Amino acid sequence: EVQLLESGGGLLQPGGSVRLSCTASGFTFSSYAMSWVRQAPGKGLEWVSGISASGGSAYYADALKGRLTVSRDSSKNTLYLQMNSLRAEDTAVYYCAKNRQPYLFGDAFDFWGQGTMVTVSS
Amino acid sequence: DIQMTQSPSSLSASVGDRVTITCQASHDISKYLNWYQQKPGKAPKLLIYDASNLETGVPSRFSGSGSGTDFTFTISSLEPEDIATYYCQQYDNLPISFTFGPGTKVDIK
């Protein structure tokens, strides 16, 4: 059974940083591209960042470039998202999501974690 | 950037009704359009990929069609458990982009 478990969220100060983690199980993690998608309270879904299966290519939403670093550790079956210079508008549930097909990047997301809440407030 | 619009933004229908949601892309996205269902407090669930392919395990009352810029999502006979918000999502590789529509909230009348 595929499982994705996010962690690392919480109440954070504006200007601070956070590192989110997503631990995967139930599939060959190193064969699938992964993404982060966020959802502000009461709002829609927004793709934030993604990384290729090998980890060699990383992609970011234009509005967030420069503040994000996505990475993965296949030895730990874990996906990471480092966010810097946090702003109130970064307040959201952050989901990790698995690509439907192996090795491709552009694709549907067939499994999602339960999300981790990031609240940026002083 | 590709923009996605959805209509309606919300709808109320009776159990057994046919429900149709449309999604429009600002540029031709071929068949690269997916549909998700999200229930309150839950993660999204993939229902349809590549415009018209039913994801494994998804009931056959859900379907999708379209290509290019205009897409349609249909629930052939609404069930009480279908109460949710539905999102379309496009993807592209040149350059990499994933854009979700604003969502359609479906309620029971």
Side-chain angles (χ1 to χ4, degrees):
Chain A
E1 179 193 4
V2 172
Q3 289 194 327
L4 299 170
L5 185 62
E6 302 95 336
S7 60
L11 177 60
L12 299 150
Q13 296 276 336
S17 298
V18 67
R19 188 196 200 198
L20 306 180
S21 300
C22 170
T23 302
S25 61
F27 65 102
T28 306
F29 181 70
S30 59
S31 295
Y32 290 85
M34 299 290 293
S35 281
W36 289 96
V37 177
R38 72 181 182 181
Q39 186 170 36
K43 303 297 184 182
L45 301 166
E46 178 187 19
W47 178 79
V48 168
S49 178
I51 188 166
S52 62
S54 67
S57 297
Y59 305 95
Y60 303 99
D62 286 345
L64 298 168
K65 256 177 209 173
R67 296 199 294 127
L68 303 180
T69 304
V70 63
S71 61
R72 64 192 297 162
D73 184 339
S74 290
S75 70
K76 296 181 179 179
N77 282 1
T78 302
L79 172 72
Y80 302 100
L81 182 69
Q82 175 80 28
M83 296 181 61
N84 300 324
S85 304
L86 288 167
R87 307 164 181 170
E89 52 265 38
D90 294 321
T91 295
V93 174
Y94 287 74
Y95 296 102
C96 66
K98 169 189 166 289
N99 258 41
R100 187 180 64 87
Q101 297 185 83
Y103 305 114
L104 293 181
F105 188 79
D107 198 1
F109 304 130
D110 64 347
F111 285 95
W112 299 60
Q114 87 293 342
T116 187
M117 183 72 202
V118 171
T119 303
V120 182
S121 175
S122 55
Chain B
D1 287 2
I2 296 176
Q3 308 300 319
M4 306 299 294
T5 57
Q6 272 184 250
S7 62
S9 56
S10 65
L11 65 90
S12 290
S14 300
V15 172
D17 281 354
R18 183 180 186 88
V19 169
T20 299
I21 299 168
T22 62
C23 179
Q24 189 167 56
S26 58
H27 300 90
D28 188 334
I29 58 171
S30 184
K31 64 174 184 176
Y32 303 125
L33 191 283
N34 308 310
W35 291 95
Y36 299 86
Q37 175 193 65
Q38 187 180 32
K39 297 183 178 181
K42 300 294 187 182
K45 175 186 176 183
L46 177 65
L47 300 180
I48 302 287
Y49 65 91
D50 291 348
S52 61
N53 295 288
L54 193 68
E55 173 67 348
T56 302
V58 173
S60 59
R61 65 180 181 275
F62 297 101
S63 65
S65 65
S67 66
T69 61
D70 295 300
F71 301 84
T72 300
F73 172 81
T74 300
I75 307 172
S76 60
S77 180
L78 188 68
E79 297 287 340
E81 60 266 31
D82 299 337
I83 299 313
T85 299
Y86 293 85
Y87 294 92
C88 62
Q89 173 236 329
Q90 70 84 24
Y91 65 93
D92 197 354
N93 284 324
L94 294 169
I96 291 290
S97 70
F98 297 88
T99 308
F100 290 89
T104 296
K105 187 174 182 181
V106 175
D107 282 326
I108 295 286
K109 194 182 293 183

